[in-house]
Amino acid sequence: RPNDEWWKAAVVYQVYPRSFADSNGDGIGDIRGIINHLDHLEDLGTDVVWLSPVYASPQDDNGYDISDYYAVDPTFGTLQDLDELIAELHARGMKLVMDLVVNHTSDEHAWFQESRASRSSAKRDWYIWRDPRDGGEPNNWGSFFSGSAWELDQKTGQYFLHLFSRKQPDLNWDNPEVRTAVYQMMNWWLDRGIDGFRMDVISFISKHPDLPDGPVSNSGMWGDGIPFYGSGPRVHDYLQEMHREVFSHRDADLMTVGEMVDATPERARLYTDQTRKELDMIFQFEHVGLDHGPGGKFSRKRLDLVAVKHSFARWQEALADVGWNSLYWNNHDQPRAVSRFGNDTDYWYQSATALATVLHLMRGTPYIYQGEELGMTNMLFSSIDDFRDLESRNYYREALAGSDGSKAAELLAGIAVGGRDNARTPVQWDRTPNAGFTTGEPWIPVNPNHTWLNAEAQRTDPGSVFAWYRRLVRFRHEETVLIDGRFTLLYPEDPQLFAYTRTNEDTSLLVLANCSAESVPLGAEIETGWAHADVLLNNQPDANLAQQLRPWEVIVLRKR
Ligand code: ISL
Ligand code: CA
C-alpha cells in the first residue's frame, strides 16, 4: 500500500445535501444539485467530499434516521444520481466519503418494524428492549433531543432505547447478526466505489449491559448515560472486527473518521493508533463545548481564547506520535464559526480568514463545512417558526412547558445563537432572491446577507474568504511540514494571540493570529527571531513584525 495515509495530506469538504443546492425546484437540495456545483469544489481544491446522509429516510432528523441503507431517498435523487456523483468526483481526482449512521436506524426501518412486532420476533434482540421499572422508564437516561431516552411500545409493553429522537431506536450491537448486517452493507457501498465513511456517534455503539442510571445535573431532570455508553465496554472489539470484515482486505485508498462526543485525547490515541486497526481519525468535541454554559449548548458563556488554545494544544501533543487529529470549526450541528469564534460584524473577513488559518495549519486533517469557505454567518432567526431542527424545537417546547411563557424570548435567543439551523441555511451561491439555491420555496429561510455574501461575488475576487481558503488548501498540499511538523504553542496564556510553530528537519513555520478586535504588540523575541523570515500569508496589507498585529490579523512566516 504505497499511499496508505494519503488522508494526512487531504482537506475534506462536508456537504449537507438538504442545504447545498436544489436542482428541481422543490426547495430541498439534492444530489443533482451537488453534481451541478462540482466546479466550485474543484476550484477550492479539496480532496474529499463527506456527504451527510442521502439514504432513504422519513427525515425526522434530516436523514440521520435511516429506513433503508441500500436506497437513496427520493428527496435527494436516485442511486443512479449517486453513482454519477461518485464518477464525477473521481474524474476530478476527488473522493467520496459517506455518512454511516449505525448506532440507530429509523423506527420505519424494516428491522425495527420486525423487532417491535412481538416479543418473540426473530429481530427482537436487534434493538434494546427493556421491561418497565416501577411502571416507568427502565432507567433515567435522557435523550439528546429532550425527554427520556426510552419510549414505551404499547403493543408489547416494553420500552425501547433511543439516545436521539424516538424515531431513532438504538441498534443492539451486542447481537452478532446486527454487526454482520452492518458490515455487509458497508461492503456493498465500498464495492459501489465510495472511498470511506464518516461514522455517526460511533463511540456510542457499545452500551454497558446493565444500563445503570446516570448522574443528574442541577439543570436537568434526566440522567446522563454517557458514562455507560460513551466508549463502552466492547467498542474497540467492534471497531477492530469492523476493520477486519470491511477494510482489511481492500487495497483502495480509503479513509474513516468516527464522530465521538465522549472523546478524550487518551481515548483518541486508542481509536486512531494505526497498529490497532480501528479508525484513521475521530471528531472530538472539546473545543466546541468551551462556550457552553451550565445549561448546555443553548445557554452560552463567553469564549475564553486561552481555553481554546490549551484544548487544541493538548490534542496536538497527545496525538503527535500516535494517531491523528481531525480539525474543524464547523459542521451541520454547530453554529457558524465566524459568528461564534470570530467577529461577524466589524471584522468579518479578517476573523473568518484568521480562524481558518489557525485551524488549517495545525497537525491533522482539516474539514471545511459548506459555506464556511465563503464566511457564511449565523442566521438572525426571530421566531420559533423559522426553526426546522427537532433538537431546537423539542428543547423550546420542553423548556416552555409548565412555565408562564415569560421565558420565551430568552429561550429563543439561546436557540438562535446555539442552534444547529445556523449551519443549515442554504448555501449562498449568488445575490438573487433565493441565493441561487432553489427556484422554489427553500425548506428553511435563506440568510438575507446573501445579497453581498455569496460564492459568485467571491470566486473571482482574490481578496475574498473563498480565495483565502483556496490558498490554505493549496498550502496543505505543498508543505510537508504541515503534515509531519512538530506543533509548539507560543504565548499560551495570552488572551488575544493564537500563535504556534510547526517544525520539521527542513523548515519552521510561524503562525501568528490576533484573535481580538484590538491591536496586539508582539514580543521582542518574535521580532528578532523571525525578522528575516518570509511572509507566506497575511490577511491584511504590508505585514510588519516591528509593529502591532492589527485586529484579527494573521501572518504566516517561514524561517529561511
Ligand atoms: O449537536 C448535538 C446535539 O447537541 C450533538 O450532541 C449531536 O447530537 C451529536 O454530535 C451527534 O450528532 C450526530 O448524530 C445525531 C445527528 O442528529 C447529528 O446531526 C449527527 O451529526 C443523531 O444521528
Ligand atoms: Ca430538490
Side-chain angles (χ1 to χ4, degrees):
R1 300 276 307 270
N3 200 11
D4 228 7
E5 299 190 346
W6 60 272
W7 35 265
K8 289 192 172 178
V11 181
V12 182
Y13 186 93
Q14 184 192 350
V15 171
Y16 193 67
R18 174 170 285 271
S19 306
F20 191 73
D22 173 25
S23 70
N24 62 351
D26 67 355
I28 303 176
D30 45 52
I31 296 170
R32 177 79 29 210
I34 305 171
I35 295 171
N36 292 344
H37 284 88
L38 289 181
D39 288 351
H40 180 77
L41 301 189
E42 200 173 12
D43 192 7
L44 187 57
T46 46
D47 308 275
V48 179
V49 169
W50 151 25
L51 179 61
S52 278
V54 293
Y55 311 93
S57 163
Q59 304 289 326
D60 184 54
D61 186 17
N62 292 353
Y64 283 89
D65 50 318
I66 297 169
S67 53
D68 184 352
Y69 292 105
Y70 294 89
V72 167
D73 197 279
T75 310
F76 299 121
T78 64
L79 212 42
Q80 284 63 46
D81 293 335
L82 195 58
D83 287 340
E84 193 178 322
L85 176 64
I86 296 170
E88 289 288 336
L89 283 169
H90 288 172
R92 290 168 162 84
M94 289 185 268
K95 293 177 183 288
L96 183 69
V97 162
M98 297 267 284
D99 225 300
L100 180 79
V101 188
V102 290
N103 173 70
H104 44 268
T105 68
S106 164
D107 65 338
E108 298 180 35
H109 194 291
W111 297 343
F112 188 72
Q113 297 291 314
E114 191 181 336
S115 182
R116 86 181 317 169
S118 81
R119 286 191 187 217
S120 59
S121 153
K123 288 202 170 57
R124 186 64 168 181
D125 185 49
W126 280 42
Y127 293 82
I128 300 173
W129 293 97
R130 289 291 184 279
D131 289 327
R133 181 178 70 180
D134 306 328
E137 291 83 12
N139 73 17
N140 72 353
W141 295 358
S143 147
F144 278 84
F145 296 153
S146 298
S148 168
W150 296 95
E151 179 77 1
L152 178 65
D153 179 56
Q154 296 290 352
K155 191 171 150 205
T156 57
Q158 285 190 312
Y159 284 84
F160 66 85
L161 179 70
H162 61 90
L163 298 183
F164 295 91
S165 96
R166 60 171 60 88
K167 289 186 66 61
Q168 293 167 301
D170 282 54
L171 281 164
N172 176 19
W173 273 69
D174 294 334
N175 182 324
E177 290 172 11
V178 168
R179 305 202 300 274
T180 304
V182 169
Y183 306 150
Q184 191 181 338
M185 176 270 287
M186 294 172 75
N187 277 312
W188 186 85
W189 279 104
L190 289 172
D191 291 344
R192 217 168 174 100
I194 70 163
D195 304 288
F197 296 101
R198 174 271 186 187
M199 304 182 188
D200 193 65
V201 288
I202 198 70
S203 61
F204 290 172
I205 56 178
S206 170
K207 278 83 174 169
H208 188 297
D210 301 336
L211 309 180
D213 278 345
V216 182
S217 70
N218 315 330
S219 61
M221 59 188 286
W222 301 105
D224 176 11
I226 293 183
F228 304 108
Y229 59 75
S231 299
R234 297 184 65 190
V235 68
H236 293 290
D237 297 342
Y238 295 158
L239 288 175
Q240 288 169 13
E241 179 183 73
M242 177 193 284
H243 193 281
R244 280 194 305 278
E245 299 296 322
V246 179
F247 299 107
S248 63
H249 53 90
R250 294 183 181 266
D251 80 82
D253 291 335
L254 306 178
M255 75 166 250
T256 56
V257 50
E259 188 203 26
M260 303 204 177
V261 176
D262 60 280
T264 60
E266 295 68 35
R267 286 179 182 177
R269 280 171 69 96
L270 295 177
Y271 285 118
T272 67
D273 177 346
Q274 286 291 305
T275 65
R276 290 171 56 89
K277 300 191 185 306
E278 296 186 21
L279 299 172
D280 294 330
M281 60 190 118
I282 67 158
F283 291 126
Q284 53 98 357
F285 281 69
E286 200 173 272
H287 62 299
V288 291
L290 294 172
D291 58 353
H292 289 188
K297 66 193 290 186
F298 296 127
S299 76
R300 303 178 92 79
K301 66 175 190 221
R302 199 189 60 82
L303 190 74
D304 174 5
L305 183 72
V306 174
V308 175
K309 293 192 298 183
H310 285 178
S311 170
F312 276 125
R314 203 158 75 91
W315 284 85
Q316 289 287 300
E317 278 148 28
L319 302 185
D321 316 310
V322 167
W324 191 247
N325 273 294
S326 43
L327 307 169
Y328 74 95
W329 288 125
N330 271 127
N331 59 43
H332 62 293
D333 294 332
Q334 301 293 332
R336 290 284 179 180
V338 66
S339 304
R340 180 184 190 181
F341 300 101
N343 180 331
D344 67 3
T345 47
D346 301 327
Y347 296 102
W348 169 73
Y349 170 78
Q350 292 88 339
S351 66
T353 50
L355 288 170
T357 310
V358 294
L359 189 82
H360 278 240
L361 304 191
M362 285 191 280
R363 183 180 167 102
T365 298
Y367 287 72
I368 301 171
Y369 175 66
Q370 65 185 34
E372 182 183 347
E373 77 282 16
L374 307 174
M376 275 179 64
T377 65
N378 276 357
M379 175 84 167
L380 291 171
F381 291 105
S382 52
S383 149
I384 188 66
D385 300 327
D386 289 340
F387 291 93
R388 300 288 177 268
D389 179 19
L390 83 168
E391 181 188 40
S392 296
R393 294 166 74 109
N394 289 357
Y395 173 83
Y396 183 83
R397 193 180 343 99
E398 188 166 290
L400 212 55
S403 93
D404 57 2
S406 64
K407 283 200 299 185
E410 188 191 328
L411 284 171
L412 198 61
I415 298 170
V417 175
R420 307 196 294 184
D421 281 335
N422 282 304
R424 301 176 180 185
T425 62
V427 170
Q428 296 166 202
W429 295 107
D430 62 34
R431 50 167 303 144
T432 60
N434 287 325
F437 166 71
T438 181
T439 54
E441 186 64 33
W443 70 277
I444 188 171
V446 173
N447 196 315
N449 67 12
H450 72 276
T451 51
W452 61 270
L453 196 173
N454 62 65
E456 189 181 45
Q458 293 192 28
R459 206 169 295 125
T460 53
D461 173 4
S464 65
V465 176
F466 181 79
W468 188 269
Y469 269 89
R470 187 165 45 198
R471 232 169 274 150
L472 289 176
V473 174
R474 194 163 306 155
F475 199 40
R476 172 146 302 256
H477 293 154
E478 289 164 357
E479 286 287 342
T480 51
V481 68
L482 292 180
I483 297 159
D484 62 10
R486 202 175 62 244
F487 170 96
T488 309
L489 185 67
L490 307 180
Y491 306 110
E493 305 308 323
D494 190 292
Q496 293 161 291
L497 262 188
F498 196 157
Y500 60 84
T501 53
R502 300 291 313 277
T503 306
N504 65 9
E505 283 170 6
D506 305 320
T507 189
S508 190
L509 300 182
L510 171 65
V511 180
L512 274 176
N514 173 5
C515 295
S516 82
E518 289 83 45
S519 295
V520 179
L522 289 171
E525 63 273 31
I526 294 276
E527 203 193 317
T528 46
W530 292 81
H532 299 292
D534 293 320
V535 175
L536 301 182
L537 290 169
N538 184 202
N539 67 347
Q540 298 180 38
D542 309 319
N544 185 343
L545 292 187
Q547 288 170 7
Q548 310 202 327
L549 275 187
R550 290 160 284 192
W552 287 102
E553 179 166 14
V554 63
I555 307 178
V556 180
L557 298 149
R558 186 212 311 277
K559 214 161 225 169
R560 295 201 209 210

